[in-house]
Amino acid sequence: MEREYLASDDSRGQDEQIIMEMPLPELENGKSAVISRLEGGSEFVNKLSSLNIRAGKIIRKVIMQPLKGPVIIEIDSRHIAVGQGLSLIHI
């Protein structure tokens, strides 16, 4: 399934239209996208919802730490560290 989202490159300040769906870890550092869906059980989805991570929210991948470290994301002007296993967040 393909989704359309608006991605922006903060370093250039330009917006570009991209049509695709991918797991969060595949998004380039510094890029923003709209969460299209969450995969997982109800506990997983509820945990993410408590952090305000849900479909339709704009998320920015700040950086992915090396050696299976966390992914730092920005959502609602807050930085949150999530495990790389959260590739079940699709953008």
Side-chain angles (χ1 to χ4, degrees):
M1 177 189 320
E2 291 189 349
R3 301 278 178 161
E4 185 173 328
Y5 65 92
L6 183 65
S8 66
D9 183 340
D10 295 334
S11 64
R12 289 184 294 172
Q14 298 174 347
D15 290 338
E16 56 188 68
Q17 201 73 9
I18 299 174
I19 300 174
M20 62 182 9
E21 182 177 278
M22 69 178 83
L24 174 62
E26 292 181 21
L27 184 66
E28 291 180 43
N29 292 340
K31 295 273 187 174
S32 297
V34 175
I35 298 173
S36 63
R37 64 187 171 96
L38 303 173
E39 285 182 23
S42 60
E43 287 183 35
F44 171 76
V45 172
N46 288 340
K47 173 65 175 171
L48 294 179
S49 292
S50 72
L51 297 171
N52 209 20
I53 299 172
R54 55 186 162 73
K57 294 294 287 187
I58 297 173
I59 192 170
R60 184 173 74 90
K61 181 178 168 188
V62 177
I63 193 165
M64 185 164 64
Q65 300 296 327
L67 303 174
K68 298 186 180 181
V71 178
I72 310 298
I73 60 171
E74 181 180 347
I75 188 165
D76 294 334
S77 301
R78 295 180 303 140
H79 285 173
I80 301 171
V82 295
Q84 287 188 24
L86 292 183
S87 57
L88 299 175
I89 299 173
H90 291 269
I91 52 170

